[in-house]
Amino acid sequence: MKTLEAALKNGLNRAGQGLSEMVNRDIKITAPQVALVPISQVCQESQIGHEAAVAVYLSISGDIGGHIMVFFDLGSARRMVDLIMDLPAGATGELGDVERSALEEAANLTGSFVLNSLADASGLQITPSAPTLLIDMADAILNSVLAAVSLFDDQALVAQASFTGPLHESEVKFYLLPEIRSLEKLTGALGRSP
């Protein structure tokens, strides 16, 4: 699984470069903690509670299937909007259409770069769907997504990631949930890659 974790970290690093180019400012994404966690333990490991949260969801298709979710607590979501839109720290209050679009675009770009990194490392075709943004209680969002994917998935790759700009920092959880056969196919392909 080390190769899978390394590919995820590489994808997040590349996503930081892509976000930097998109907003014309230096943004770094670091993920010091990456772990493969059984689906049944994701809520416990993620320390998700009953507070308002924002998640951006993408499905994965191509040679493998699965799901990506970028998960923010409400404060982190607001800080991410400040970061992406180059606003003063604390400027974002309500998450209206423009703010939601900024979060979707940041998560979409991040998920796409991670999948491109996995595709490059494995030689597989991997494609994300358009992003869907959800706002609800944190445990309700995570449990609803996990209930749907647990029928097909066994484990999740979970990264605690920091998005850092010149004046801002936002903490997010990044979930990669490949389907069971897809996880086997992906790790096998990564193991065979030079």
Side-chain angles (χ1 to χ4, degrees):
M1 293 303 164
K2 293 292 184 190
T3 308
L4 181 58
E5 293 167 6
L8 175 60
K9 284 188 175 187
N10 181 52
L12 289 170
N13 182 52
R14 288 166 63 177
Q17 296 167 2
L19 278 172
S20 297
E21 291 174 13
M22 182 179 87
V23 300
N24 202 27
R25 287 183 310 286
D26 187 37
I27 296 176
K28 289 187 172 44
I29 303 176
T30 56
Q33 299 174 13
V34 178
L36 197 60
V37 177
I39 290 286
S40 60
Q41 296 176 20
V42 167
C43 284
Q44 178 184 348
E45 292 284 332
S46 300
Q47 298 177 336
I48 298 298
H50 193 68
E51 65 275 347
V54 178
V56 181
Y57 168 85
L58 304 110
S59 63
I60 302 168
S61 60
D63 291 335
I64 65 168
H67 317 272
I68 285 177
M69 190 165 53
V70 183
F71 199 91
F72 309 84
D73 65 44
L74 204 50
S76 291
R78 290 174 176 145
R79 288 189 293 277
M80 179 64 79
V81 173
D82 290 344
L83 173 64
I84 297 300
M85 298 179 68
D86 198 23
L87 298 171
T92 300
E94 292 295 314
L95 296 178
D97 291 343
V98 171
E99 293 80 9
R100 291 176 187 219
S101 179
L103 290 170
E104 284 181 335
E105 190 56 37
N108 185 43
L109 189 144
T110 302
S112 295
F113 270 93
V114 166
L115 293 182
N116 287 342
S117 177
L118 291 171
D120 291 347
S122 66
L124 299 173
Q125 285 276 79
I126 310 172
T127 308
S129 69
T132 300
L133 186 135
L134 309 165
I135 299 179
D136 202 339
M137 295 299 106
D139 52 355
I141 293 173
L142 196 54
N143 284 326
S144 66
V145 172
L146 292 178
V149 303
S150 64
L151 300 173
F152 307 102
D153 306 346
D154 183 54
Q155 295 182 304
L157 195 62
V158 181
Q160 175 72 44
S162 295
F163 288 62
T164 308
L167 302 173
H168 306 84
E169 182 171 6
S170 180
E171 298 286 327
V172 308
K173 293 274 190 188
F174 184 94
Y175 298 92
L176 175 64
L177 304 126
E179 295 174 359
I180 294 172
R181 289 187 183 86
S182 293
L183 179 60
E184 294 168 356
K185 186 174 187 178
L186 180 58
T187 54
L190 288 169
R192 289 190 299 273
S193 296

